[in-house]
Structure formats: C-alpha cells, structure tokens
Amino acid sequence: MAETKGVLLPAYVVADESGSMGPYQQELSHGLASLCEGLRAEPMIAAKLRLAVLGFSDDVQVRLAVADMRTETTLPQLTIRGLTAYGAVFDDLLSRIPADVQWLRDQGYKVHRPVVFFLSDGQPTDRGSWQRPHARLTDKSQTPTAPNIIACGIGDAQAATMVKVATRPEFAFVAKAETDIGQAISEFFHSLTASLVASGHALNSGSPQLVVNRPDQFTMAIDEV
C-alpha cells in the first residue's frame, strides 16, 4: 500500500458576486489578496490546507480551483454580476466537493471534512428553492463529504437565513447594524485567514479540530422562534 502523503483540510471561500456587491469590489479584492498572502506567509500551515475560491450570483464561477497556496501564484478576482441565487451554490458544491476530495485522495492524501466560508450581502433571490440542495449537501448520510459551513451575512442578509445556511448555530454570523459593508467584508477575510491558520495549527496537534473565529463587528446570528 502506498504511503499517505499527509492529511489535508479543503477550504472553500464562497463569495457573493451579485450586483449589490458592486460598490465593495475593492474590499473583496483586498480581502482575497490578504487571505492568499496570509497563507503564503505560513507555509507550514498552508501545507495542511487546500484553498478554493468560488464566486456566485445566478451561477457559480471558479475563481481559484483547489490549490496549494505555497505554490499558487494566481490571485483570484471576483466579478460583479447578476442576482443572489443560493441554490446555485449548493448545487455546485454537491458535485464539486466529492470530486475534489476524491482527487486529493487519488494524489495520496487523507482528507479532513471540508469547510465552506459563505459570504453574502443579500437574501436569496431564488427564495426557498435553495434549501433542498443545501439539505442534500449537509446530510452526511447522502453526502459523506458533507462540509461544515460557516455563514456570514452583511447588508440585507438576515440572521435567520444565515442560521439556516450554517451547519451549526455557532457558525452563523451577521454584521452589526451600524457596520459599514466594506469594513464588514474586510473583517470577514481577516477572520477567515485567522481561522484557517488556527485550524492549520490544530491539525498539527494530537487533537485536530476546526477553529472558527467570529469576525470583529459581527454577532452570532440568532433566528426567531
């Protein structure tokens, strides 16, 4: 039997590219650049991760396929376009994540449960139809590679929606009402980078775990009952 090369954590950044994000494209670009630079500055940590960046609106576009950030030189760029179809995200991940995990296994790696960092500034324009593919994606009996999803809402995104998107209540966050959207985007990427670095350190320990940091200027999302 071939020797295992190591154990990896696949991490997906899923960013809203809908028209309402247009005024904040610079913050999105700076955030992605900061994320990539932050991982490259931690090569021992980056070795434990594989990063992908997806942009979504009416559909999903790959801005960075699953990559080793120690050697990846491309800086992903998001493109503002269309509406806010959450269903497109979960339909895409239903096929993408199992295929990526199998590809990594074929490369000789073991794979930790993937993590998705989801950022949106709006309510889903496909209304409730996104919930069916989301349910399939997050049901481990149907999708053995079901990811952990961290959901961050800014702008018009509502707390109740983020709670539904996140796979655990403590993984759902919304920006405080008084927070500027551009600042919230910057805080999201800062927290994302810190979470991946901390998770990478934890993967090197005897008790590997996913570490999720709450972005500054965000609160834990709480829905109504």
Side-chain angles (χ1 to χ4, degrees), residues 110-154:
K110 293 183 177 180
V111 182
H112 289 293
R113 185 166 301 285
V115 57
V116 173
F117 293 87
F118 178 93
L119 174 69
S120 178
D121 78 330
Q123 287 293 99
T125 51
D126 49 351
R127 299 183 183 277
S129 62
W130 61 273
Q131 296 187 39
R132 178 171 294 182
H134 177 274
R136 286 181 56 205
L137 175 68
T138 56
D139 182 347
K140 295 175 185 175
S141 67
Q142 297 186 65
T143 307
T145 55
N148 291 301
I149 301 177
I150 291 85
C152 292
I154 59 178

Side-chain angles (χ1 to χ4, degrees), residues 1 19-20 26 31 47 62 171 184-185 197 211 217:
M1 180 179 295
S20 56
Q26 186 175 41
V62 179
F171 288 172
I185 291 171
V197 170
V211 180
Q217 306 305 317

Side-chain angles (χ1 to χ4, degrees), residues 33-108:
S34 176
L35 170 63
C36 294
E37 291 168 1
L39 294 180
R40 288 172 186 144
E42 298 271 5
M44 295 293 289
I45 300 303
K48 299 290 184 183
L49 306 173
R50 291 296 181 271
L51 180 70
V53 178
L54 307 176
F56 81 95
S57 61
D58 300 306
D59 60 8
V60 172
Q61 298 289 327
V62 179
R63 304 309 179 196
L64 178 69
V66 169
D68 183 343
M69 296 310 293
R70 295 172 300 171
T71 56
E72 179 62 45
T73 58
T74 302
L75 186 62
Q77 298 290 332
L78 299 174
T79 300
I80 303 303
R81 59 203 174 84
L83 300 177
T84 314
Y86 282 21
V89 173
F90 304 119
D91 272 329
D92 181 274
L93 293 177
L94 266 171
S95 58
R96 183 178 305 282
I97 287 178
D100 285 347
V101 169
Q102 187 58 53
W103 180 74
L104 292 171
R105 287 171 175 162
D106 290 344
Q107 301 298 309

